Amino acid sequence: MEETIELREIIEILLKAKWLIGLVTVVGILLAGTVSWFILPEKYESKATVQIASNAQDTKILASYVAYEFTPQVFSQRVKNQTIINQGFQHANLPNKFSHENLTVTQEPNTNLVNLTYTSDSSTNAQKELKEIISITKSEMNKSVQNTLQDLENTYRTETESLTSEIESIIKEYNSIIQSNNLPEVLILQTILNSDIVLNISDEQTKALSNLSGPLQNQLLQLQAQIQTKSEEYRSVLADYQSVKTGLESFKPDPFIRIIVEPTISEIPASPNKMLNLVIGLILGLLIGVGLVFFREYWRNTTPAK
């Protein structure tokens, strides 16, 4: 027949060894208190909310580049760049090193808001370091856009130089034909464009004009068309170049990254949670104490008689 343990017997066992349970529980509470007050370092939190608004101002030709960089997703990744932020901390003479494990980043659904929570060894350090993190991230995003715009500016400048060279080459060829055939340049343009303007030209130039052949006239028309096409293309590229150059000189990240809630300063440490640790120590002490009591009772009952 299987042995059973009655509830009364369990209670009697516990009451007999209540001193042991109490002792282990007190030890557990003391250990939890010692660890919480004297071993675990206190950590303080600073919180901030940032808005990323790529459409904060009309940037015209730069809009696509701004919209690509200034997004909550890009900000959330850049704000965790440990190498860059540590360099910024060192430059700002901050005492601690940055670790992405101390930073919590959450994006509010269907908004362009990003919530930041940063943990440090003191309330003032947490606030200063979070401010610096946001500032460094803004600077890096600004630098990224500026580098892109610098590359774009160089591309447009190269295009304008190339188009200038092409136009000069075509004009040189056009002028060479005019000079070699002793033709009045203005009159040729007037004749081809069917202008009613009458200009005085010499008899020699009139004779040269009357002898103007169809192939030569066609060649001049083609050259003029090329000059006009390249000139329009040059004006378009030059306008883009000037726009990018102006944007590069005046671009600032401030309108696109707005601090909605400034980094807070906390008077109460976020960790360790001393009261919670004491409760955990109490519960663990009780469980361990009860476990020891039953183990001791089992050991006594199963010890063979000598």
Side-chain angles (χ1 to χ4, degrees), residues 68-69 78 138-150:
Y68 179 78
E69 177 68 26
R78 288 191 178 277
K138 287 173 64 175
S139 176
E140 286 301 308
M141 295 176 79
N142 178 43
K143 189 184 299 182
S144 175
V145 173
Q146 285 184 324
N147 289 339
T148 301
L149 296 181
Q150 186 67 61

Side-chain angles (χ1 to χ4, degrees), residues 264-284:
T264 59
I265 186 166
S266 175
E267 298 179 357
I268 303 174
S271 66
N273 190 329
K274 298 174 182 178
M275 295 307 299
L276 178 61
N277 290 345
L278 290 178
V279 172
I280 292 173
L282 170 65
I283 295 173
L284 288 177

Side-chain angles (χ1 to χ4, degrees), residues 41-60:
E42 290 185 338
K43 296 292 183 180
Y44 291 80
E45 287 184 350
S46 181
K47 299 182 178 181
T49 300
V50 177
Q51 182 186 40
I52 315 299
S54 59
N55 58 348
Q57 68 180 54
D58 182 15
T59 50
K60 297 180 180 178

Side-chain angles (χ1 to χ4, degrees), residues 5-225:
I5 301 178
E6 299 292 339
L7 178 60
R8 181 183 182 87
E9 186 178 351
I10 293 175
I11 295 174
E12 289 178 352
I13 293 173
L14 293 176
L15 289 176
K16 287 180 182 178
K18 58 182 179 294
W19 63 270
L20 179 59
I21 297 174
L23 177 62
V24 174
T25 301
V26 171
V27 171
I29 294 174
L30 290 176
L31 286 175
T34 301
V35 170
S36 299
W37 265 271
F38 302 105
I39 298 178
L40 292 178
E42 290 185 338
K43 296 292 183 180
Y44 291 80
E45 287 184 350
S46 181
K47 299 182 178 181
T49 300
V50 177
Q51 182 186 40
I52 315 299
S54 59
N55 58 348
Q57 68 180 54
D58 182 15
T59 50
K60 297 180 180 178
I61 192 173
L62 312 181
S64 60
Y65 302 98
V66 171
Y68 179 78
E69 177 68 26
F70 288 92
T71 66
Q73 292 78 15
V74 172
F75 179 86
S76 298
Q77 293 301 315
R78 288 191 178 277
V79 81
K80 295 180 180 179
N81 191 321
Q82 192 160 320
T83 302
I84 296 298
I85 293 178
N86 268 323
Q87 291 175 356
F89 274 23
Q90 186 175 3
H91 185 265
N93 295 320
L94 295 178
N96 298 320
K97 286 189 175 182
F98 170 78
S99 173
H100 61 83
E101 296 177 354
N102 294 334
L103 180 66
T104 302
V105 182
T106 57
Q107 299 178 32
E108 293 191 13
N110 304 319
T111 70
N112 54 3
L113 298 178
V114 179
N115 297 315
L116 305 173
T117 302
Y118 184 71
T119 305
S120 190
D121 57 354
S122 73
S123 57
T124 54
N125 282 343
Q127 185 188 46
K128 288 180 181 178
E129 289 164 11
L130 184 55
K131 284 184 177 179
E132 190 66 23
I133 290 169
I134 296 173
S135 176
I136 293 169
T137 304
K138 287 173 64 175
S139 176
E140 286 301 308
M141 295 176 79
N142 178 43
K143 189 184 299 182
S144 175
V145 173
Q146 285 184 324
N147 289 339
T148 301
L149 296 181
Q150 186 67 61
D151 292 340
L152 192 61
E153 181 193 19
N154 293 336
T155 300
Y156 283 140
R157 183 172 61 248
T158 302
E159 283 189 43
T160 56
E161 292 172 354
S162 176
L163 286 169
T164 299
S165 179
E166 289 183 46
I167 293 171
E168 289 176 351
S169 177
I170 298 171
I171 291 176
K172 184 178 181 180
E173 182 182 355
Y174 180 85
N175 290 338
S176 176
I177 294 173
I178 295 297
Q179 293 171 2
S180 63
N181 289 276
N182 194 29
L183 298 174
E185 180 180 349
V186 175
L187 185 59
I188 293 298
L189 290 174
Q190 169 192 302
T191 303
I192 294 174
L193 297 174
N194 296 320
S195 174
D196 294 332
I197 299 175
V198 178
L199 299 175
N200 295 322
I201 58 175
S202 66
D203 293 338
E204 186 179 354
Q205 290 176 331
T206 302
K207 183 179 179 180
L209 181 60
S210 64
N211 294 329
L212 184 62
S213 64
L216 182 58
Q217 183 176 355
N218 183 57
Q219 184 179 6
L220 291 173
L221 282 170
Q222 290 181 0
L223 290 174
Q224 287 183 29

